[in-house]
Amino acid sequence: MTAQPYDFLPGQTPLPEKNLRAIRAALVVPEDREAFDTGLKAVLDEVRVSLDLGTLNAFVHRWWISACDSVRDPEGRRQMHAHAEQVLAGGHRPEGKPWREILAARGIDV
């Protein structure tokens, strides 16, 4: 048995563990998984050269936040990627809420 993250509440989907395998498994949007895989390869190459695990720890933390968001609101992640694609294609970019506010509303404390 493993302990659940401190912010797990009954009725909520538990957040993923903070390790590479659990984080990748929690990423439900293909664009997230592709970016994770590409970023992981780059960060591991950097760690091999620098021997600094701080870079890997920062990568894990950043992607854990995305994995938590993916678990709590998978449709929101899909919409985010669709919106980003539209904006990159020159579409309208409406003003939105700050990402910290959005994550906080989903119960993710960064």
Side-chain angles (χ1 to χ4, degrees), residues 50-64:
S50 70
L51 301 177
D52 178 11
L53 290 177
T55 305
L56 180 59
N57 289 333
F59 175 86
V60 168
H61 181 70
R62 284 191 309 268
W63 276 102
W64 179 75

Side-chain angles (χ1 to χ4, degrees), residues 39-93:
L40 180 59
K41 182 183 179 319
V43 86
L44 290 176
D45 288 345
E46 183 178 334
V47 168
R48 279 187 202 97
V49 172
S50 70
L51 301 177
D52 178 11
L53 290 177
T55 305
L56 180 59
N57 289 333
F59 175 86
V60 168
H61 181 70
R62 284 191 309 268
W63 276 102
W64 179 75
I65 292 169
S66 293
C68 291
D69 189 43
S70 189
V71 164
R72 293 281 169 89
D73 187 10
E75 186 54 34
R77 294 295 294 181
R78 288 182 189 96
Q79 290 174 3
M80 178 197 70
H81 282 286
H83 178 72
E85 187 175 318
Q86 180 185 17
V87 169
L88 290 174
H92 176 67
R93 180 179 176 248

Side-chain angles (χ1 to χ4, degrees), residues 22-45:
I23 290 168
R24 188 178 191 288
L27 299 172
V28 297
V29 180
E31 294 90 343
D32 281 338
R33 284 191 307 273
E34 291 167 13
F36 176 86
D37 292 344
T38 300
L40 180 59
K41 182 183 179 319
V43 86
L44 290 176
D45 288 345

